[in-house]
Amino acid sequence: MKTIRDIAKILHVSASTVSKALSGSADISDETRQLVVDYAKSIGYMPRKYHASDKGTVAVVLGEMDFRSNEQFGYEVVLGFQMAAQNQGFNVDIKTGFEFDDATNAYATFMESNNYQGAFLLGFNNDDLRMAEFATTEYPTVLLDNFIDNPKTASVGTDSFVGIDIAARHLHSLGHRKIAFLNGEPNSRVSSERKMAYKHAVKAYGLKTDRNLYMDGDYFIDMSEQAVEQFMRAGATAILCASDVIASFVINRLLRNGVQVPQQVSVVGYDDLPVSSYLGITTVAQSRMDLGKIAFTVLNDLLSGVSINKLTLRPKLIVRSSTAAVAQD
């Protein structure tokens, strides 16, 4: 079993840097932290104090969300949760969903059969049949970007209204008045929140009101061809996207159509995934590692009998090269 010093020697960094990266410390660069975390995961390394647990096991359950690559939204969220939970003496099991059977209480059976103390659920949409079970569950449960009215459940996420507002404000400051919005799938709670936030920003900043400047899309499927065609016909000078992946699709489509970014059309993403840095996308950053850590903190409070309704983190805008002042005619 390799030690922190072994990892430091292989990666040509200090042992303290490795320790900080594995604990989620903010005083090292994102690139260095990612390098250390990726290598540690590749060799199955876990700090010694994380091996033993006397507090039981909690689950991370993923619905329509992947976490296996740092290019995916769930990667750092799950990692942050693991770090926080294991630091407090809990084991963590990662599961990719559980089977729904309308003849049984599937969630309770899943939790009981695995002897889980509680769970953190990611990637469940509003129309998922399993959501109904969370409303009555007696197991402490934390949901990402979803809310269930149950004293045993809590919601964590990032404030979509603040995120969309700071993006719209940035584009407005650059002179854009026809700002289109390509959202994620409409059955997602976070998509509904971002749609309302966009409508609010349109009024708040006196932007052009045109239903052709809005389209529901998908977080995983490329909907950019239809969206870009519709937005350009409506005269959009900027396109706000509900994720960085969507923004990357949009930028690729614009360039294929001979539209310069940002000289002719500015593009803003959401999440601050690695792809946004590679492509120079201005984006609304969610601290995914912090989301994971705070999800465990909330779950631990629920396990202690403290009822928490909702905990929301504040996003921030990261300006890169995909936005610029509106082109003058």
Side-chain angles (χ1 to χ4, degrees):
M1 176 66 69
K2 284 185 168 59
T3 67
I4 283 179
R5 291 186 181 277
D6 293 330
I7 295 174
K9 185 175 181 179
I10 291 168
L11 298 180
H12 303 292
V13 296
S14 68
S16 64
T17 295
V18 174
S19 179
K20 288 178 180 180
L22 294 175
S23 65
S25 176
D27 60 349
I28 61 173
S29 71
D30 290 341
E31 292 78 8
T32 300
R33 175 169 54 79
Q34 199 67 62
L35 174 69
V36 172
V37 168
D38 285 346
Y39 180 73
K41 288 189 71 173
S42 73
I43 63 172
Y45 173 82
M46 186 176 290
R48 289 180 181 176
K49 67 178 181 177
Y50 291 168
H51 283 291
S53 170
D54 56 6
K55 292 187 177 180
T57 302
V58 293
V60 174
V61 185
L62 295 106
E64 297 180 14
M65 183 179 292
D66 210 339
F67 69 100
R68 296 174 180 84
S69 163
N70 70 328
E71 297 287 343
Q72 294 158 333
F73 184 86
Y75 180 85
E76 287 196 3
V77 180
V78 172
L79 184 60
F81 184 90
Q82 286 178 296
M83 288 179 172
Q86 292 164 341
N87 193 43
Q88 293 298 315
F90 286 86
N91 291 317
V92 179
D93 278 0
I94 302 175
K95 301 290 186 179
T96 53
F98 60 92
E99 292 301 318
F100 179 84
D101 182 348
D102 59 7
T104 63
N105 192 337
Y107 184 57
T109 301
F110 167 79
M111 296 294 286
E112 183 178 1
S113 63
N114 289 286
N115 198 30
Y116 293 141
Q117 308 299 305
F120 175 36
L121 308 180
L122 306 82
F124 289 84
N125 286 329
N126 292 335
D127 60 357
D128 194 308
L129 295 176
R130 294 167 290 190
M131 289 290 286
E133 296 194 36
F134 308 146
T136 58
T137 184
E138 289 296 315
Y139 284 92
T141 301
V142 176
L143 299 100
L144 177 69
D145 291 328
N146 270 306
F147 176 76
I148 297 291
D149 187 12
N150 179 351
K152 294 291 186 178
T153 71
S155 172
V156 297
T158 303
D159 194 319
S160 291
F161 274 83
V162 171
I164 296 298
D165 181 79
I166 58 178
R169 188 191 319 155
H170 168 66
L171 292 170
H172 181 270
S173 72
L174 294 173
H176 296 279
R177 298 297 181 267
K178 292 185 178 181
I179 302 173
F181 183 38
L182 179 53
N183 206 354
E185 58 263 25
N187 60 344
S188 162
R189 180 181 178 87
V190 74
S191 293
S192 297
E193 291 178 347
R194 290 175 187 174
K195 181 177 182 178
M196 289 188 291
Y198 170 72
K199 289 182 175 180
H200 181 269
V202 167
K203 293 181 180 179
Y205 296 105
L207 305 179
K208 174 70 175 179
T209 302
D210 185 341
R211 61 183 180 182
N212 290 316
L213 291 173
Y214 177 86
M215 181 182 290
D216 287 317
D218 193 286
Y219 287 110
F220 307 105
I221 300 171
D222 185 357
M223 305 282 285
S224 64
E225 182 174 7
Q226 180 183 354
V228 166
E229 182 180 342
Q230 176 179 307
F231 295 160
M232 296 303 291
R233 284 201 308 266
T237 62
I239 302 174
L240 174 56
C241 304
S243 77
D244 292 329
V245 173
I246 293 174
S248 70
F249 291 150
V250 166
I251 289 174
N252 182 58
R253 179 62 56 181
L254 287 167
L255 295 176
R256 287 171 62 183
N257 290 355
V259 179
Q260 294 180 306
V261 177
Q263 292 88 346
Q264 293 175 277
V265 175
S266 289
V267 178
V268 178
Y270 207 111
D271 292 333
D272 194 30
L273 294 177
V275 67
S276 67
S277 179
Y278 303 154
L279 298 180
I281 301 173
T282 294
T283 187
V284 178
Q286 301 191 73
S287 177
R288 300 180 303 284
M289 187 78 75
D290 286 343
L291 277 173
K293 290 179 179 178
I294 205 66
F296 171 74
T297 299
V298 171
L299 181 59
N300 202 22
D301 285 340
L302 292 174
L303 288 166
S304 301
V306 179
S307 291
I308 296 176
N309 214 31
K310 188 175 183 180
L311 197 153
T312 306
L313 301 183
R314 183 180 182 87
K316 65 179 181 180
L317 185 72
I318 297 180
V319 178
R320 298 192 177 102
S321 60
S322 70
T323 53
V326 65
Q328 301 296 320
D329 294 332

